[in-house]
């Protein structure tokens, strides 16, 4: 039976939940219950661990302890969601996880600003080194999917979005923000959310 679980959407740097309008409407029209939150601040001034705690608190407030969820993280939100999964117990309740165009192995564009959250997105940062030490353990409990574009100018090099675990799909979307509205991406997300859980 589908849709099975509520879907939580987590935005990226300098975004707000409205960035998911097209995706959220699409999923809602197909029967999913869709939730999102505004991470504060959203400009990289705060450490990503703190933003992940906001996600943790939001999920605990919205849902009962035994409610399973599906989770989608975009760009910086991909790292926030990974920290929630790997360090804050999210692996216990998330069934499907979709990571979209996130700097999973860092981006050189993060050298442009010294804000602490942005510094954490630099290649080989201590934050990423910690997350990438045991990220493969996610797949023991969660169905993981990574989606990214080779033309990304925000995640440089674009291949840094690759996680190398679970399912991975490369879709040639021209611009980073368009990953949330491109019909091919939306089609793949819908099919992924319909896949049997582990």
């Amino acid at each position: 039976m589908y849709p099975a679980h509520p879907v939580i959407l987590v935005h990226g740097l300098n975004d707000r939940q409205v960035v998911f309008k097209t995706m959220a409407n699409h999923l809602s029209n197909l029967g999913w219950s869709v939730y999102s939150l505004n991470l504060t601040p959203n400009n990289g001034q705060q450490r990503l661990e703190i933003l992940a705690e906001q996600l943790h608190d939001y999920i605990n407030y919205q849902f009962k302890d035994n409610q399973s969820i599906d989770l989608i993280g975009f760009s910086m939100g991909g790292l926030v969601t990974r920290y929630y999964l790997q360090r804050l117990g999210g692996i216990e309740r998330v069934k499907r996880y979709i990571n979209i165009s996130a700097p999973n192995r860092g981006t050189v564009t993060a050298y442009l600003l010294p804000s602490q959250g942005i510094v954490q997105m630099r290649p080989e940062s201590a934050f990423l080194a910690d997350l990438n030490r045991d990220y493969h353990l996610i797949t023991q409990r969660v169905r993981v999917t990574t989606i990214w574009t080779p033309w990304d100018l925000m995640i440089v090099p674009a291949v840094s979005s690759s996680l190398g675990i679970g399912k991975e799909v490369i879709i040639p979307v021209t611009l980073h923000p368009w990953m949330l509205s491109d019909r091919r991406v939306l089609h793949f997300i819908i099919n992924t959310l319909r896949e049997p859980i582990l």
Side-chain angles (χ1 to χ4, degrees):
M1 294 286 292
Y2 301 104
H5 306 132
V7 180
I8 318 301
L9 310 176
V10 183
H11 66 75
L13 183 70
N14 293 323
D15 285 333
R16 297 180 65 80
Q17 59 186 349
V18 69
V19 75
F20 289 111
K21 182 178 180 180
T22 299
M23 183 184 296
N25 287 342
H26 203 61
L27 293 174
S28 295
N29 289 339
L30 291 172
W32 273 278
S33 297
V34 182
Y35 298 80
S36 58
L37 72 159
N38 290 320
L39 301 173
T40 306
N42 65 353
N43 59 3
Q45 294 289 335
Q46 185 56 272
R47 298 194 320 277
L48 302 184
E49 302 97 308
I50 302 301
L51 300 183
E53 289 173 4
Q54 293 177 21
L55 173 62
H56 174 270
D57 293 346
Y58 174 83
I59 290 172
N60 285 350
Y61 176 78
Q62 289 288 344
F63 306 106
K64 296 179 180 179
D65 291 343
N66 62 350
Q67 174 65 63
S68 296
I69 61 173
D70 293 335
L71 184 62
I72 299 176
F74 169 64
S75 196
M76 179 186 75
L79 298 183
V80 171
T81 50
R82 281 184 59 197
Y83 193 89
Y84 167 71
L85 280 167
Q86 295 178 238
R87 301 291 178 258
L88 299 178
I91 196 172
E92 301 296 330
R93 67 188 308 165
V94 173
K95 300 304 178 184
R96 300 176 188 87
Y97 172 56
I98 303 175
N99 179 288
I100 304 174
S101 293
N104 291 306
R105 302 188 185 281
T107 172
V108 298
T109 57
Y111 287 104
L112 297 175
L113 293 170
S115 304
Q116 55 185 345
I118 295 176
V119 168
Q120 289 180 304
M121 292 187 272
R122 293 176 180 175
E124 301 182 2
S125 70
F127 177 84
L128 288 177
D130 174 64
L131 281 188
N132 291 334
R133 174 172 48 86
D134 57 3
Y135 67 97
H136 58 282
L137 297 178
I138 303 173
T139 57
Q140 294 180 0
R141 303 286 296 275
V142 181
R143 183 173 289 280
V144 177
T145 301
T146 308
I147 309 173
W148 57 280
T149 171
W151 296 343
D152 206 320
L153 297 179
M154 289 295 295
I155 312 301
V156 181
V159 72
S160 293
S161 290
S162 175
L163 262 178
I165 58 173
K167 181 186 293 184
E168 183 168 318
V169 62
I170 302 171
I171 300 177
V173 177
T174 308
L175 295 176
H176 185 74
W178 291 1
M179 291 296 288
L180 300 183
S181 57
D182 184 273
R183 60 178 179 77
R184 296 164 297 176
V185 176
L186 294 177
H187 178 75
F188 190 82
I189 287 172
I190 290 163
N191 287 339
T192 300
L193 291 175
R194 286 175 170 160
E195 290 178 349
I197 59 176
L198 299 177

